[in-house]
Amino acid sequence: MKIGIVCPYAWDVPGGVSAHVHDLAIALIRRGHTVSVLAPAESDEGLPDFVVSTGKPKAVRYNGSVARLSFGPVTARKVSRWIAEGEFDVLHVHEPLAPSLSVLAIWAAKGPIVATWHSSMDRSRMLVSLNRLALTAMEKITARIAVSEAARTTLVEHVGGDAIIIPNGVDTTEFTNATALPGWPGLGKAIVFLGRVDEPRKGLAVLVNAAPKIVAQFPDIRFLIAGPGDATDLLNNLADSVAQHFVTLGMISAEDKPSVLASGNIYVAPNTGGESFGIVLLEAMATGTPVVASDLTAFARVLDSGKAGALFHNEESDDLAEVICNLLTNESELRRLTVAGHERANEFDWATVAKRIETVYESVHIDGVVVEPDFAGQMLGRIGSSRSVRGSVQ
Amino acid sequence: MRVVHYVEIFAVLGFLWHLSHQAGRLDRLHHRIDVARAALDGHLARRAAIVADLANVADPASGLLLREAAIAARSFDPTDVMARIQVENTLTAAIRDTLEDPDDVAALSEDPVTAELLRELKDSSARLELSRRFHADAVQACRHLRQQRLVRLFHLAGHADAPETMDFDDQLPASLR
């Protein structure tokens, strides 16, 4: 099948949705499909063959954080051209609610369209983004997928209709054989954090505030902080004697991610909200690093209610400190979590997930029908349609 | 005076755009239903074909049940949705009645050709269930829009028939899930 996939977030900035699209594209190509991914990118260098860039994204405040998205008239033209040239059997857009490439692609297309919802959002934010035009884009989607129950609920409550749930897949092969960075975790133990450091919802502040108590009990502990953004402000709040335990790596490459995750005795995910799945938790577990995560519904589900990793009360630094200290002193529990985490990670295999998504493609695909451009029809309505769309499928 | 004309002209143009926009939405929804229905029909035809093949390798009694149901499912009046749902329900029931017993399925699966047919039936039923749900979603969205006052007042739906869902039973027996 020829499949066109649209990723609304920058391809070369690590993130849950772009990672999902990357792995899905690879899994589909392995299964013998022709795949083209349309995505914004900070730079054209090093993009895989199957990615078509729409150029540098713009920073937009959205869903409580800063998203880097691509839209505007120039982008709209690129999207139309990509659809016209692609002749896709199925168009698969991701996170179609954002004012982004995904909505542009739906507007510009006509034919079998599949959409995947990734995040759960509360009502007020949804209403802002769900203007009339976005809703008309929703109407064109043939098949809807949600990656979690939370994402499905968001969709059902705010857009209507239904969605089938296909969870995220994780390609654990790169992670299962990961080796730690040289010198890590070290004899004094180490805690790893990975995520945008200047993004409040990723919860670095919760970990930073827990640090004094942890350092008091483990004087040689180190905190490995990896992810784009500037952590100086956060760390300035700490006494120098605590702050010196932090090692910041800045943005890391996808190749280094497994090693970073394997470099701690514990991986911490202190995210405070807005997460609907938690791929990075599974990746950490695949490297064999035990996970401590905030008790968000999505995280609790991935960690099998605490069986595959430890949970702490969301946004409570004291509780986080306690959970970490208890674990670090309990070698047998750490070993148990390594094994349980490994098994859990294996349950979310991309090969399985890609096959289920493929079934959705097959259920909407019709021989002889390809996705066609229809931007004028979207904008002007019936008078803008080049020809009557009715009767084109018989 | 002039200004007033501009305001009125813009209001009329705006209203016309709105009508055209609503009509465009309706066209797209009808198109989506056509696409979904074509996909659904394809999967139904595929399922009937697989069941007809299965009838040839099953025991004579099961074969008869399956064959009759499969033939009925392939010769239907395309305009009569209710009758169509009926034959599809009958086909699903025939599959359930004949393949309900896991031991029977295991025995049939010993033959590689039959095992392949059963696997195809499973896959095709999964696609069928999805396309039935996607079709129902499209129909619901379309009905919702057709009920709007302006859409009815200006006959934006034209002579297009009100869409109907294909609400049939496609649940496979546990032995095949």
Side-chain angles (χ1 to χ4, degrees):
Chain A
M1 245 185 245
K2 281 180 101 175
I3 299 153
I5 304 181
V6 183
C7 172
Y9 301 113
W11 183 260
D12 40 9
V13 175
V17 176
S18 36
H20 175 107
V21 172
H22 174 270
D23 293 344
L24 173 63
I26 301 272
L28 289 170
I29 290 168
R30 274 189 202 142
R31 294 181 68 80
H33 299 290
T34 308
V35 178
S36 175
V37 174
L38 186 72
E42 298 284 345
S43 144
D44 279 353
E45 275 171 48
L47 288 182
D49 293 344
F50 58 84
V51 175
V52 175
S53 166
T54 56
K56 266 172 112 67
K58 305 164 187 168
V60 188
R61 295 198 61 81
Y62 177 66
N63 194 10
S65 61
V66 178
R68 301 187 61 76
L69 303 168
S70 207
F71 54 93
V74 178
T75 311
R77 218 171 305 139
K78 282 183 191 163
V79 174
S80 293
R81 203 184 315 138
W82 176 74
I83 288 170
E85 287 168 4
E87 294 183 339
F88 304 116
D89 294 311
V90 175
L91 178 68
H92 186 175
V93 301
H94 288 262
E95 205 69 315
L97 286 177
S100 67
L101 213 53
S102 293
V103 172
L104 277 179
I106 302 173
W107 279 347
K110 194 175 77 181
I113 302 177
V114 176
T116 296
W117 272 260
H118 292 263
S119 61
S120 50
M121 286 172 259
D122 67 45
R123 189 167 196 99
S124 55
R125 285 176 190 142
M126 282 291 290
L127 287 179
V128 175
S129 57
L130 264 192
N131 50 43
R132 232 177 71 112
L133 282 177
L135 265 178
T136 63
M138 299 305 111
E139 289 173 354
K140 295 172 84 172
I141 299 166
T142 329
R144 302 136 172 252
I145 300 172
V147 297
S148 65
E149 188 55 53
R152 182 184 157 271
T153 310
T154 304
L155 171 68
V156 171
E157 283 179 5
H158 304 295
V159 186
D162 200 359
I164 56 162
I165 297 177
I166 300 180
N168 269 304
V170 179
D171 190 358
T172 52
T173 43
E174 303 163 42
F175 291 87
T176 38
N177 302 316
T179 47
L181 300 170
W184 290 85
L187 291 174
K189 313 253 186 223
I191 309 285
V192 174
F193 169 94
L194 195 148
R196 285 198 77 92
V197 297
D198 53 0
E199 146 72 86
R201 290 189 309 157
K202 299 295 176 195
L204 179 57
V206 181
L207 175 63
V208 165
N209 293 333
K213 284 198 171 167
I214 302 171
V215 170
Q217 207 173 331
F218 296 91
D220 295 321
I221 198 158
R222 288 185 294 171
F223 297 90
L224 186 61
I225 309 299
D230 188 3
T232 325
D233 283 355
L234 267 177
L235 296 180
N236 278 345
N237 295 334
L238 291 173
D240 282 349
S241 61
V242 177
Q244 66 183 8
H245 291 265
F246 280 79
V247 179
T248 51
L249 293 180
M251 190 167 138
I252 52 160
S253 67
E255 293 82 58
D256 290 337
K257 198 175 169 191
S259 296
V260 170
L261 289 173
S263 294
N265 300 93
I266 289 176
Y267 168 76
V268 176
N271 306 45
T272 58
E275 299 292 327
S276 65
F277 188 67
I279 291 182
V280 66
L281 270 60
L282 287 166
E283 290 174 343
M285 289 192 275
T287 68
T289 307
V291 172
V292 172
S294 53
D295 58 357
L296 302 174
T297 320
F299 285 179
R301 197 169 284 148
V302 167
L303 295 182
D304 204 5
S305 313
K307 289 194 213 76
L311 295 165
F312 72 95
H313 297 305
N314 187 16
E315 296 190 64
E316 289 180 23
S317 295
D318 288 349
D319 193 40
L320 173 60
E322 204 182 313
V323 170
I324 288 180
C325 289
N326 285 344
L327 261 184
L328 287 179
T329 48
N330 189 345
E331 278 294 333
S332 68
E333 177 63 4
L334 276 178
R335 268 196 301 273
R336 190 193 70 77
L337 285 182
T338 297
V339 174
H342 222 120
E343 282 171 7
R344 186 70 174 157
N346 283 340
E347 289 172 28
F348 293 81
D349 186 35
W350 257 113
T352 326
V353 174
K355 190 161 184 288
R356 295 182 63 189
I357 293 175
E358 194 183 277
T359 306
V360 174
Y361 295 161
E362 284 163 353
S363 74
V364 299
H365 169 64
I366 307 159
D367 285 334
V369 174
V370 296
V371 179
E372 294 168 49
D374 183 36
F375 202 61
Q378 173 70 40
M379 288 300 126
L380 298 174
R382 191 172 276 171
I383 52 171
S385 299
S386 48
R387 63 194 167 85
S388 170
V389 287
R390 270 206 70 100
S392 59
V393 183
Q394 291 306 340
Chain B
M1 198 57 194
R2 263 213 120 90
V3 177
V4 174
H5 284 308
Y6 281 131
V7 169
E8 282 164 354
I9 287 166
F10 272 114
V12 169
L13 283 180
F15 182 70
L16 288 177
W17 174 81
H18 177 71
L19 278 188
S20 173
H21 184 77
Q22 295 296 82
R25 281 177 69 190
L26 211 52
D27 288 345
R28 284 192 297 274
L29 279 170
H30 281 137
H31 175 69
R32 187 177 132 200
I33 292 171
D34 289 346
V35 171
R37 183 57 195 270
L40 182 56
D41 284 346
H43 294 305
L44 283 171
R46 182 91 196 97
R47 178 173 82 146
I50 295 168
V51 172
D53 285 349
L54 264 176
N56 292 330
V57 293
D59 63 282
S62 305
L64 186 72
L65 257 175
L66 290 174
R67 191 173 300 112
E68 291 214 330
I71 290 170
R74 281 197 287 185
S75 46
F76 54 87
D77 173 7
T79 55
D80 190 346
V81 173
M82 282 320 289
R84 184 80 194 277
I85 291 171
Q86 194 66 50
V87 296
E88 297 305 341
N89 280 340
T90 311
L91 181 57
T92 305
I95 295 171
R96 256 205 303 260
D97 292 344
T98 53
L99 298 168
E100 201 165 33
D101 191 340
D103 294 340
D104 288 350
V105 173
L108 280 170
S109 300
E110 279 165 19
D111 172 41
V113 178
T114 315
E116 175 65 18
L117 279 174
L118 288 171
R119 206 185 52 75
E120 277 182 37
L121 179 63
K122 241 191 285 191
D123 287 353
S124 109
S125 297
R127 287 190 284 267
L128 180 61
E129 189 205 337
L130 289 177
S131 58
R132 174 180 57 79
R133 287 172 59 178
F134 298 146
H135 177 257
D137 264 356
V139 168
Q140 222 167 10
C142 184
R143 278 184 184 163
H144 185 74
L145 185 62
R146 284 174 70 125
Q147 274 159 13
Q148 281 191 4
R149 214 176 307 157
L150 271 185
V151 172
R152 284 190 315 208
L153 194 65
F154 285 86
H155 282 286
L156 295 184
H159 297 293
D161 293 330
E164 284 177 274
T165 51
M166 290 276 289
D167 209 2
F168 56 87
D169 176 15
D170 50 20
Q171 191 77 327
L172 283 179
S175 57
L176 282 173
R177 264 179 267 152

PDB file of all heavy atoms in Angstrom, chain A residues 290-315:
ATOM      1  N   PRO A 290      15.110   0.398  36.288  1.00  0.00           N
ATOM      2  CA  PRO A 290      13.818   0.490  36.964  1.00  0.00           C
ATOM      3  C   PRO A 290      13.250   1.908  36.858  1.00  0.00           C
ATOM      4  O   PRO A 290      14.006   2.875  36.852  1.00  0.00           O
ATOM      5  CB  PRO A 290      14.152   0.159  38.421  1.00  0.00           C
ATOM      6  CG  PRO A 290      15.429  -0.593  38.360  1.00  0.00           C
ATOM      7  CD  PRO A 290      16.177  -0.031  37.195  1.00  0.00           C
ATOM      8  N   VAL A 291      11.920   2.001  36.771  1.00  0.00           N
ATOM      9  CA  VAL A 291      11.271   3.291  36.562  1.00  0.00           C
ATOM     10  C   VAL A 291      10.521   3.738  37.811  1.00  0.00           C
ATOM     11  O   VAL A 291       9.850   2.942  38.468  1.00  0.00           O
ATOM     12  CB  VAL A 291      10.277   3.198  35.380  1.00  0.00           C
ATOM     13  CG1 VAL A 291       9.437   4.471  35.276  1.00  0.00           C
ATOM     14  CG2 VAL A 291      11.020   2.953  34.082  1.00  0.00           C
ATOM     15  N   VAL A 292      10.675   5.032  38.138  1.00  0.00           N
ATOM     16  CA  VAL A 292       9.836   5.669  39.155  1.00  0.00           C
ATOM     17  C   VAL A 292       9.077   6.770  38.438  1.00  0.00           C
ATOM     18  O   VAL A 292       9.690   7.633  37.805  1.00  0.00           O
ATOM     19  CB  VAL A 292      10.673   6.270  40.303  1.00  0.00           C
ATOM     20  CG1 VAL A 292       9.782   7.082  41.240  1.00  0.00           C
ATOM     21  CG2 VAL A 292      11.396   5.180  41.071  1.00  0.00           C
ATOM     22  N   ALA A 293       7.736   6.735  38.500  1.00  0.00           N
ATOM     23  CA  ALA A 293       6.947   7.703  37.745  1.00  0.00           C
ATOM     24  C   ALA A 293       5.826   8.277  38.595  1.00  0.00           C
ATOM     25  O   ALA A 293       5.370   7.638  39.556  1.00  0.00           O
ATOM     26  CB  ALA A 293       6.357   7.044  36.497  1.00  0.00           C
ATOM     27  N   SER A 294       5.379   9.495  38.222  1.00  0.00           N
ATOM     28  CA  SER A 294       4.233  10.094  38.894  1.00  0.00           C
ATOM     29  C   SER A 294       3.005   9.229  38.607  1.00  0.00           C
ATOM     30  O   SER A 294       2.939   8.544  37.581  1.00  0.00           O
ATOM     31  CB  SER A 294       4.016  11.518  38.396  1.00  0.00           C
ATOM     32  OG  SER A 294       3.943  11.531  36.988  1.00  0.00           O
ATOM     33  N   ASP A 295       2.024   9.267  39.510  1.00  0.00           N
ATOM     34  CA  ASP A 295       0.903   8.328  39.376  1.00  0.00           C
ATOM     35  C   ASP A 295      -0.201   8.841  38.441  1.00  0.00           C
ATOM     36  O   ASP A 295      -1.386   8.720  38.741  1.00  0.00           O
ATOM     37  CB  ASP A 295       0.328   7.967  40.753  1.00  0.00           C
ATOM     38  CG  ASP A 295      -0.143   9.191  41.525  1.00  0.00           C
ATOM     39  OD1 ASP A 295       0.027  10.316  41.008  1.00  0.00           O
ATOM     40  OD2 ASP A 295      -0.667   9.020  42.638  1.00  0.00           O
ATOM     41  N   LEU A 296       0.190   9.431  37.297  1.00  0.00           N
ATOM     42  CA  LEU A 296      -0.786   9.785  36.267  1.00  0.00           C
ATOM     43  C   LEU A 296      -1.456   8.496  35.784  1.00  0.00           C
ATOM     44  O   LEU A 296      -0.816   7.444  35.774  1.00  0.00           O
ATOM     45  CB  LEU A 296      -0.091  10.445  35.072  1.00  0.00           C
ATOM     46  CG  LEU A 296       0.723  11.707  35.335  1.00  0.00           C
ATOM     47  CD1 LEU A 296       1.449  12.127  34.062  1.00  0.00           C
ATOM     48  CD2 LEU A 296      -0.181  12.819  35.809  1.00  0.00           C
ATOM     49  N   THR A 297      -2.725   8.602  35.360  1.00  0.00           N
ATOM     50  CA  THR A 297      -3.450   7.412  34.913  1.00  0.00           C
ATOM     51  C   THR A 297      -2.669   6.662  33.837  1.00  0.00           C
ATOM     52  O   THR A 297      -2.536   5.436  33.888  1.00  0.00           O
ATOM     53  CB  THR A 297      -4.820   7.815  34.334  1.00  0.00           C
ATOM     54  OG1 THR A 297      -5.346   8.842  35.154  1.00  0.00           O
ATOM     55  CG2 THR A 297      -5.755   6.645  34.290  1.00  0.00           C
ATOM     56  N   ALA A 298      -2.140   7.430  32.875  1.00  0.00           N
ATOM     57  CA  ALA A 298      -1.440   6.796  31.757  1.00  0.00           C
ATOM     58  C   ALA A 298      -0.197   6.051  32.248  1.00  0.00           C
ATOM     59  O   ALA A 298       0.071   4.922  31.815  1.00  0.00           O
ATOM     60  CB  ALA A 298      -1.041   7.854  30.734  1.00  0.00           C
ATOM     61  N   PHE A 299       0.555   6.661  33.145  1.00  0.00           N
ATOM     62  CA  PHE A 299       1.771   6.030  33.645  1.00  0.00           C
ATOM     63  C   PHE A 299       1.437   4.786  34.472  1.00  0.00           C
ATOM     64  O   PHE A 299       2.107   3.759  34.369  1.00  0.00           O
ATOM     65  CB  PHE A 299       2.582   7.016  34.486  1.00  0.00           C
ATOM     66  CG  PHE A 299       3.309   8.062  33.662  1.00  0.00           C
ATOM     67  CD1 PHE A 299       4.073   9.041  34.270  1.00  0.00           C
ATOM     68  CD2 PHE A 299       3.226   8.043  32.280  1.00  0.00           C
ATOM     69  CE1 PHE A 299       4.744   9.995  33.513  1.00  0.00           C
ATOM     70  CE2 PHE A 299       3.888   8.992  31.510  1.00  0.00           C
ATOM     71  CZ  PHE A 299       4.647   9.972  32.139  1.00  0.00           C
ATOM     72  N   ALA A 300       0.384   4.924  35.320  1.00  0.00           N
ATOM     73  CA  ALA A 300      -0.005   3.779  36.156  1.00  0.00           C
ATOM     74  C   ALA A 300      -0.355   2.598  35.262  1.00  0.00           C
ATOM     75  O   ALA A 300      -0.055   1.449  35.578  1.00  0.00           O
ATOM     76  CB  ALA A 300      -1.179   4.161  37.044  1.00  0.00           C
ATOM     77  N   ARG A 301      -0.984   2.887  34.115  1.00  0.00           N
ATOM     78  CA  ARG A 301      -1.372   1.814  33.209  1.00  0.00           C
ATOM     79  C   ARG A 301      -0.146   1.155  32.579  1.00  0.00           C
ATOM     80  O   ARG A 301      -0.039  -0.063  32.540  1.00  0.00           O
ATOM     81  CB  ARG A 301      -2.309   2.369  32.129  1.00  0.00           C
ATOM     82  CG  ARG A 301      -3.083   1.295  31.406  1.00  0.00           C
ATOM     83  CD  ARG A 301      -4.185   1.897  30.558  1.00  0.00           C
ATOM     84  NE  ARG A 301      -5.323   2.341  31.339  1.00  0.00           N
ATOM     85  CZ  ARG A 301      -6.089   3.381  31.024  1.00  0.00           C
ATOM     86  NH1 ARG A 301      -5.809   4.089  29.971  1.00  0.00           N
ATOM     87  NH2 ARG A 301      -7.115   3.708  31.769  1.00  0.00           N
ATOM     88  N   VAL A 302       0.780   1.987  32.101  1.00  0.00           N
ATOM     89  CA  VAL A 302       1.990   1.439  31.499  1.00  0.00           C
ATOM     90  C   VAL A 302       2.780   0.624  32.525  1.00  0.00           C
ATOM     91  O   VAL A 302       3.329  -0.433  32.214  1.00  0.00           O
ATOM     92  CB  VAL A 302       2.872   2.571  30.922  1.00  0.00           C
ATOM     93  CG1 VAL A 302       4.257   2.046  30.586  1.00  0.00           C
ATOM     94  CG2 VAL A 302       2.230   3.161  29.680  1.00  0.00           C
ATOM     95  N   LEU A 303       2.808   1.110  33.770  1.00  0.00           N
ATOM     96  CA  LEU A 303       3.567   0.402  34.811  1.00  0.00           C
ATOM     97  C   LEU A 303       2.737  -0.704  35.467  1.00  0.00           C
ATOM     98  O   LEU A 303       3.125  -1.230  36.503  1.00  0.00           O
ATOM     99  CB  LEU A 303       4.053   1.393  35.869  1.00  0.00           C
ATOM    100  CG  LEU A 303       5.064   2.439  35.378  1.00  0.00           C
ATOM    101  CD1 LEU A 303       5.504   3.343  36.514  1.00  0.00           C
ATOM    102  CD2 LEU A 303       6.271   1.771  34.747  1.00  0.00           C
ATOM    103  N   ASP A 304       1.587  -1.032  34.853  1.00  0.00           N
ATOM    104  CA  ASP A 304       0.760  -2.113  35.361  1.00  0.00           C
ATOM    105  C   ASP A 304       0.428  -1.878  36.842  1.00  0.00           C
ATOM    106  O   ASP A 304       0.630  -2.753  37.692  1.00  0.00           O
ATOM    107  CB  ASP A 304       1.500  -3.453  35.161  1.00  0.00           C
ATOM    108  CG  ASP A 304       0.542  -4.628  35.114  1.00  0.00           C
ATOM    109  OD1 ASP A 304      -0.675  -4.377  35.137  1.00  0.00           O
ATOM    110  OD2 ASP A 304       1.022  -5.776  35.063  1.00  0.00           O
ATOM    111  N   SER A 305      -0.061  -0.667  37.127  1.00  0.00           N
ATOM    112  CA  SER A 305      -0.449  -0.252  38.484  1.00  0.00           C
ATOM    113  C   SER A 305       0.666  -0.418  39.513  1.00  0.00           C
ATOM    114  O   SER A 305       0.407  -0.729  40.673  1.00  0.00           O
ATOM    115  CB  SER A 305      -1.677  -1.025  38.970  1.00  0.00           C
ATOM    116  OG  SER A 305      -2.665  -1.038  37.988  1.00  0.00           O
ATOM    117  N   GLY A 306       1.889  -0.225  39.082  1.00  0.00           N
ATOM    118  CA  GLY A 306       2.994  -0.275  40.040  1.00  0.00           C
ATOM    119  C   GLY A 306       3.730  -1.597  40.062  1.00  0.00           C
ATOM    120  O   GLY A 306       4.746  -1.734  40.731  1.00  0.00           O
ATOM    121  N   LYS A 307       3.223  -2.586  39.311  1.00  0.00           N
ATOM    122  CA  LYS A 307       3.890  -3.897  39.314  1.00  0.00           C
ATOM    123  C   LYS A 307       5.188  -3.861  38.505  1.00  0.00           C
ATOM    124  O   LYS A 307       6.127  -4.576  38.803  1.00  0.00           O
ATOM    125  CB  LYS A 307       2.959  -4.975  38.745  1.00  0.00           C
ATOM    126  CG  LYS A 307       1.804  -5.327  39.658  1.00  0.00           C
ATOM    127  CD  LYS A 307       1.147  -6.614  39.180  1.00  0.00           C
ATOM    128  CE  LYS A 307      -0.331  -6.634  39.451  1.00  0.00           C
ATOM    129  NZ  LYS A 307      -1.185  -5.828  38.576  1.00  0.00           N
ATOM    130  N   ALA A 308       5.200  -3.023  37.453  1.00  0.00           N
ATOM    131  CA  ALA A 308       6.378  -3.012  36.579  1.00  0.00           C
ATOM    132  C   ALA A 308       7.281  -1.808  36.846  1.00  0.00           C
ATOM    133  O   ALA A 308       8.300  -1.621  36.190  1.00  0.00           O
ATOM    134  CB  ALA A 308       5.944  -3.025  35.118  1.00  0.00           C
ATOM    135  N   GLY A 309       6.917  -0.965  37.820  1.00  0.00           N
ATOM    136  CA  GLY A 309       7.704   0.213  38.152  1.00  0.00           C
ATOM    137  C   GLY A 309       7.055   0.893  39.338  1.00  0.00           C
ATOM    138  O   GLY A 309       5.884   0.648  39.621  1.00  0.00           O
ATOM    139  N   ALA A 310       7.819   1.737  40.028  1.00  0.00           N
ATOM    140  CA  ALA A 310       7.271   2.372  41.238  1.00  0.00           C
ATOM    141  C   ALA A 310       6.555   3.671  40.892  1.00  0.00           C
ATOM    142  O   ALA A 310       6.947   4.378  39.965  1.00  0.00           O
ATOM    143  CB  ALA A 310       8.393   2.642  42.226  1.00  0.00           C
ATOM    144  N   LEU A 311       5.479   3.970  41.628  1.00  0.00           N
ATOM    145  CA  LEU A 311       4.718   5.200  41.414  1.00  0.00           C
ATOM    146  C   LEU A 311       4.830   6.096  42.648  1.00  0.00           C
ATOM    147  O   LEU A 311       4.949   5.602  43.768  1.00  0.00           O
ATOM    148  CB  LEU A 311       3.243   4.867  41.162  1.00  0.00           C
ATOM    149  CG  LEU A 311       2.937   4.075  39.887  1.00  0.00           C
ATOM    150  CD1 LEU A 311       1.529   3.490  39.945  1.00  0.00           C
ATOM    151  CD2 LEU A 311       3.080   4.965  38.659  1.00  0.00           C
ATOM    152  N   PHE A 312       4.794   7.413  42.426  1.00  0.00           N
ATOM    153  CA  PHE A 312       4.728   8.338  43.568  1.00  0.00           C
ATOM    154  C   PHE A 312       3.598   9.327  43.317  1.00  0.00           C
ATOM    155  O   PHE A 312       3.132   9.473  42.184  1.00  0.00           O
ATOM    156  CB  PHE A 312       6.068   9.061  43.770  1.00  0.00           C
ATOM    157  CG  PHE A 312       6.363  10.103  42.715  1.00  0.00           C
ATOM    158  CD1 PHE A 312       6.041  11.444  42.919  1.00  0.00           C
ATOM    159  CD2 PHE A 312       6.951   9.746  41.516  1.00  0.00           C
ATOM    160  CE1 PHE A 312       6.300  12.402  41.929  1.00  0.00           C
ATOM    161  CE2 PHE A 312       7.211  10.693  40.533  1.00  0.00           C
ATOM    162  CZ  PHE A 312       6.885  12.019  40.738  1.00  0.00           C
ATOM    163  N   HIS A 313       3.154  10.011  44.388  1.00  0.00           N
ATOM    164  CA  HIS A 313       2.047  10.958  44.247  1.00  0.00           C
ATOM    165  C   HIS A 313       2.473  12.130  43.374  1.00  0.00           C
ATOM    166  O   HIS A 313       3.460  12.800  43.685  1.00  0.00           O
ATOM    167  CB  HIS A 313       1.577  11.455  45.614  1.00  0.00           C
ATOM    168  CG  HIS A 313       1.039  10.355  46.474  1.00  0.00           C
ATOM    169  ND1 HIS A 313       0.017   9.537  46.039  1.00  0.00           N
ATOM    170  CD2 HIS A 313       1.386   9.921  47.704  1.00  0.00           C
ATOM    171  CE1 HIS A 313      -0.241   8.644  46.989  1.00  0.00           C
ATOM    172  NE2 HIS A 313       0.576   8.846  48.002  1.00  0.00           N
ATOM    173  N   ASN A 314       1.705  12.384  42.325  1.00  0.00           N
ATOM    174  CA  ASN A 314       2.016  13.423  41.354  1.00  0.00           C
ATOM    175  C   ASN A 314       2.291  14.778  42.040  1.00  0.00           C
ATOM    176  O   ASN A 314       1.538  15.188  42.913  1.00  0.00           O
ATOM    177  CB  ASN A 314       0.832  13.549  40.382  1.00  0.00           C
ATOM    178  CG  ASN A 314       1.136  14.487  39.237  1.00  0.00           C
ATOM    179  OD1 ASN A 314       2.294  14.816  38.987  1.00  0.00           O
ATOM    180  ND2 ASN A 314       0.092  14.916  38.547  1.00  0.00           N
ATOM    181  N   GLU A 315       3.368  15.424  41.617  1.00  0.00           N
ATOM    182  CA  GLU A 315       3.759  16.761  42.071  1.00  0.00           C
ATOM    183  C   GLU A 315       4.208  16.806  43.526  1.00  0.00           C
ATOM    184  O   GLU A 315       4.400  17.889  44.069  1.00  0.00           O
ATOM    185  CB  GLU A 315       2.631  17.778  41.831  1.00  0.00           C
ATOM    186  CG  GLU A 315       2.335  17.961  40.336  1.00  0.00           C
ATOM    187  CD  GLU A 315       1.409  19.129  40.040  1.00  0.00           C
ATOM    188  OE1 GLU A 315       1.819  20.261  40.312  1.00  0.00           O
ATOM    189  OE2 GLU A 315       0.292  18.898  39.548  1.00  0.00           O
TER     190      GLU A 315
END
